[in-house]
Amino acid sequence: MLFFFPFFFTLECDALCKEKTLHRVLRNVNSQLLVVRPDLNVAAFENVTDQEMQSGKGMLFSIHCYKTTTPLAGLPVAFSVQVEDKSYYMCCERECGEMTIRFKEGEVPKEIPGESNIIFFKKTFTSCCPNAFKFEYSMERGMFLAFEEEGSLRKLILKKLSKDEVDETMKMSLQVRSE
């Protein structure tokens, strides 16, 4: 006896489609805010006064969340920030053999057809810190957003992390800007 079962398959493409946008400030483990200064081509964690925070210049990030077909990798996100009347998006570029964080003028796309140098996977920092996150670069596994002391700056960088290591320089919290 033969049985025929109707199977319905849906093909999902690897394209990422923007699902929602959150507006948050990013804080490091030292409670400093990430501030983008496109004129200096730098993003660094800084101590910010309440008055500076109210102005929000270069501090209030739009975190663009994308739908994914691979949820185990983490939630795909892209970052953009408004500085004066211009919008900048965060991306990674290889310079002199090293990966560098850059902020380029422009908008984050609604759809991304494949791999992109603007996508990071948002992951819980550790199971005991559910409100803290780390962001893994989508095009190079094991590379995470972090900060590095450079003189008086705590500059935003990409940093390699071994599988079982916990690195506090990668720990970030997302907070709604207090009014």
Side-chain angles (χ1 to χ4, degrees):
M1 188 182 307
L2 280 167
F3 292 99
F4 291 98
F5 295 98
F7 289 98
F8 298 97
F9 293 98
T10 57
L11 295 176
E12 292 189 51
C13 64
D14 287 339
L16 296 171
C17 301
K18 199 184 318 183
E19 188 171 41
K20 66 181 175 182
T21 303
L22 306 172
H23 301 284
R24 303 286 188 268
V25 292
L26 277 74
R27 288 192 184 274
N28 68 5
V29 69
N30 302 323
S31 292
Q32 295 171 310
L33 255 58
L34 182 60
V35 180
V36 176
R37 302 194 190 285
D39 53 331
L40 303 172
N41 208 11
V42 72
F45 288 94
E46 301 178 9
N47 294 316
V48 175
T49 66
D50 288 345
Q51 187 176 2
E52 290 170 319
M53 192 168 167
Q54 295 308 319
S55 74
K57 290 183 181 137
M59 297 173 219
L60 184 61
F61 285 82
S62 294
I63 302 169
H64 308 272
C65 304
Y66 289 83
K67 291 180 187 175
T68 181
T69 56
T70 55
L72 292 177
L75 177 67
V77 298
F79 297 91
S80 66
V81 66
Q82 201 77 17
V83 180
E84 290 162 18
D85 58 349
K86 294 180 182 173
S87 187
Y88 296 86
Y89 63 91
M90 183 167 52
C91 64
C92 297
E93 295 179 336
R94 190 167 293 282
E95 278 181 19
C96 303
E98 291 199 19
M99 292 305 293
T100 304
I101 304 288
R102 290 278 173 249
F103 283 85
K104 295 194 172 186
E105 191 174 338
E107 300 294 327
V108 169
K110 288 189 181 358
E111 289 188 28
I112 299 173
E115 288 188 334
S116 174
N117 70 341
I118 69 167
I119 294 294
F120 294 83
F121 292 117
K122 177 183 165 195
K123 301 175 175 213
T124 304
F125 183 69
T126 62
S127 57
C128 60
C129 296
N131 296 325
F133 304 96
K134 57 186 175 184
F135 296 92
E136 185 175 24
Y137 182 42
S138 65
M139 292 179 65
E140 249 183 83
R141 304 317 288 241
M143 294 291 284
F144 290 85
L145 290 177
F147 68 86
E148 175 180 75
E149 307 260 348
E150 191 176 283
S152 62
L153 282 180
R154 284 194 168 95
K155 191 175 171 184
L156 185 67
I157 62 163
L158 269 180
K159 187 175 185 182
K160 187 84 172 153
L161 180 71
S162 64
K163 203 159 187 79
D164 298 325
E165 189 180 359
V166 174
D167 185 334
E168 293 279 314
T169 66
M170 297 174 186
K171 183 178 184 178
M172 295 183 203
S173 62
L174 307 174
Q175 297 176 337
V176 178
R177 183 179 77 182
S178 57
E179 296 298 326

